[in-house]
Amino acid sequence: MDSMIPNGQRNTLAEYMILSGDDNHPPMLDKDVYDFWKSIMELYMQNREHERMILESVEHGSLIWPTIEENRVIRTKKYAELSATEKIQADCDMKATNIILQGLPTDIYSLVNHHIVAKDLWERVQLLMQGTSLTKQERECKLYDAFDKFAHIKGESLHQYYLRFTQLINDMNIYNIKLEQF
């Protein structure tokens, strides 16, 4: 497996999983770790054919279908009338929506499955999982507080202490929290 990953790019377990063939189904959302799921989903999408176009669908929205004038009537082109690149983008729009939907548990799926545009779907799931900016700010405050109050727990080994601290720092990195040096 190491030979599949170029030197200097041996990064994460998720990348190993994708490269080892666990890419036939997108990662399932765990509601407790949305940001982790989001980053793994982005990796999963990057591992698909035409990955840039799939990510464009998620980040910027679907292809705006071109129109043509026919007998003085303007109409949207049919799929068969699209250029090769436009067809690929239309297919990637559909793939992006399907990838996101397949990675959702049934209770979340039932809340968002009416969205057919990947960008809208992605934003709706994010809103459901992260809540408003107020709840995100609240979560950040709790992490700052946990960092400020971080201390050794009686009976805890150095290894356990290290693991708890590493988990806290990773959680802070997920929310892009930077600690200023004093």
Side-chain angles (χ1 to χ4, degrees):
M1 183 169 56
D2 284 340
S3 63
M4 295 173 64
I5 303 172
N7 283 335
Q9 293 185 358
R10 294 184 182 107
N11 293 334
T12 66
L13 178 60
E15 290 167 331
Y16 278 116
M17 289 169 51
I18 288 170
L19 288 172
S20 68
D22 190 22
D23 66 346
N24 58 352
H25 193 300
M28 189 58 66
L29 171 64
D30 179 350
K31 297 174 202 168
D32 295 330
V33 286
Y34 166 77
D35 290 306
F36 178 71
W37 174 81
K38 178 182 175 187
S39 67
I40 292 200
M41 282 296 276
E42 289 167 349
L43 269 176
Y44 181 85
M45 290 178 205
Q46 288 173 5
N47 192 41
R48 315 271 25 111
E49 183 180 9
H50 306 298
E51 76 277 351
R52 190 65 240 154
M53 290 178 144
I54 292 173
L55 287 171
E56 286 289 322
S57 295
V58 171
E59 294 169 0
H60 303 293
S62 298
L63 167 73
I64 299 173
W65 284 53
T67 57
I68 58 173
E69 186 174 336
E70 199 174 72
N71 300 328
R72 296 188 195 153
V73 175
I74 297 177
R75 68 169 177 80
T76 303
K77 282 185 176 181
K78 297 174 184 168
Y79 182 84
E81 298 170 326
L82 296 175
S83 70
T85 304
E86 291 168 337
K87 285 180 181 179
I88 291 171
Q89 184 61 58
D91 293 344
C92 286
D93 293 342
M94 185 61 67
K95 283 180 187 176
T97 300
N98 286 333
I99 288 170
I100 296 167
L101 287 173
Q102 288 175 22
L104 299 176
T106 54
D107 56 335
I108 301 298
Y109 177 92
S110 64
L111 294 173
V112 299
N113 69 341
H114 59 281
H115 292 283
I116 57 172
V117 175
K119 182 179 190 289
D120 297 340
L121 179 59
W122 190 252
E123 290 171 352
R124 181 67 178 149
V125 171
Q126 181 175 0
L127 182 63
L128 286 169
M129 294 299 104
Q130 287 186 324
T132 63
S133 61
L134 182 61
T135 57
K136 185 176 181 186
Q137 184 179 15
E138 187 178 306
R139 213 170 303 154
E140 288 174 2
C141 286
K142 285 181 181 179
L143 287 170
Y144 274 122
D145 189 52
F147 184 82
D148 286 340
K149 294 178 179 176
F150 193 84
H152 182 263
I153 299 171
K154 187 176 181 175
E156 178 180 46
S157 71
L158 184 59
H159 180 70
Q160 291 168 325
Y161 176 84
Y162 172 77
L163 290 177
R164 275 192 319 111
F165 186 74
T166 303
Q167 182 63 51
L168 177 60
I169 296 300
N170 286 340
D171 291 346
M172 293 174 84
N173 285 335
I174 286 172
Y175 289 101
N176 208 19
I177 295 174
K178 302 293 182 214
L179 297 173
E180 295 180 24
Q181 290 184 338
F182 293 99

